[in-house]
Amino acid sequence: MTIYPLIHPTQGDVVELILADHRLFEDLLRECRRNDRDREAARAALSELLVAHAEAEETEVYPTLRQLRAISSHKEEHGEEEHAEILEALLAFLDAKGTTTKKYDDAVKELAKVVGHHSNEEELDILNPARDDVSVATRHDLGAAWAAKRNALLRAGCASRAQVAALLAEAVREKVLPPADVREEMDAIEEQAKKQADALGEAAKADE
């Protein structure tokens, strides 16, 4: 089995450390897609990194940035919501049996979509304000705290199927993420509204 070594930094600017993990997410997702790689090993490494990274952000970084007024409580809550959405996609990815099925391919596509969306928003809405509004010394303090939490979780193991399911259940229980049936209803309403808007647009074109 291939070993995907995960770096364990102990210090540095928290912004740069988080960005480094974002690049590692992309690398591991690519390994998960390639059919000439050990997809199972890549899936295991990516799962551990995603969970450790997010948990360390929520406990060691987001609250301090909010207290320093670098980000709003809304941005903090939105970041946590997107972490929960990643957990949901990750659980489906872990539930895909084997690595050569359509279910596996669909799951890695969905995970890549939600991880990419979150990384993009976090870099724009959280990391940029942190870089602009937080001192270098404080960013290094945050970097050390984030790295210590992340590394401890990686060493202990934090992304078994049971662990990910428990974290997702906690997010739903704490109302970070609405229950699945509520989200399905919301998605259905949104889809219906989109269809109605498209129909109105086509009708308007026909009248021109």
Side-chain angles (χ1 to χ4, degrees):
M1 182 174 179
T2 303
I3 301 297
Y4 285 92
L6 299 177
I7 59 172
H8 287 66
T10 58
Q11 58 186 354
D13 183 330
V14 70
V15 172
E16 298 304 323
L17 293 175
I18 289 173
L19 286 172
D21 263 10
H22 286 183
R23 291 190 290 271
L24 190 50
F25 294 159
E26 295 169 3
D27 291 343
L28 288 169
L29 281 163
R30 188 174 303 109
E31 295 294 291
C32 287
R33 287 190 292 266
R34 289 184 58 156
N35 63 2
D36 61 345
R37 292 292 193 266
D38 187 340
R39 288 176 165 184
E40 197 62 66
R43 172 162 57 176
L46 176 61
S47 301
E48 293 289 332
L49 185 64
L50 284 170
V51 172
H53 175 100
E55 288 292 295
E57 283 184 336
E58 291 188 17
T59 59
E60 307 300 331
V61 180
Y62 288 1
T64 299
L65 293 182
R66 176 177 47 77
Q67 290 166 8
L68 294 173
R69 299 183 185 278
I71 63 172
S72 64
S73 58
H74 172 72
K75 293 297 183 186
E76 179 182 20
E77 291 165 3
H78 186 63
E80 292 174 353
E81 180 183 356
E82 289 188 340
H83 284 165
E85 290 171 350
I86 289 172
L87 286 173
E88 187 172 48
L90 179 58
L91 189 62
F93 187 43
L94 292 171
D95 280 343
K97 305 300 182 185
T99 60
T100 58
T101 64
K102 185 178 185 300
K103 183 175 181 180
Y104 173 91
D105 289 346
D106 290 344
V108 75
K109 286 177 187 177
E110 179 63 20
L111 182 61
K113 183 175 77 172
V114 294
V115 169
H117 174 83
H118 173 64
S119 294
N120 182 58
E121 288 207 350
E122 185 173 71
E123 289 172 20
L124 290 170
D125 298 337
I126 294 179
L127 299 188
N128 279 346
R131 188 184 291 109
D132 291 340
D133 301 332
V134 179
S135 71
V136 172
T138 298
R139 295 203 308 266
H140 277 260
D141 288 342
L142 285 174
W146 173 84
K149 178 71 172 182
R150 168 194 180 274
N151 296 345
L153 287 167
L154 287 175
R155 285 192 296 269
C158 57
S160 69
R161 200 248 178 233
Q163 288 170 318
V164 173
L167 288 170
L168 180 58
E170 181 181 3
V172 172
R173 186 167 59 251
E174 294 182 353
K175 300 183 179 179
V176 174
L177 195 67
D181 58 340
V182 173
R183 276 178 285 125
E184 287 176 6
E185 184 176 350
M186 291 166 62
D187 289 343
I189 292 171
E190 184 178 346
E191 180 63 23
Q192 183 62 30
K194 183 177 182 302
K195 288 180 179 178
Q196 290 175 347
D198 289 344
L200 288 172
E202 291 300 320
K205 288 179 184 178
D207 291 338
E208 291 178 355

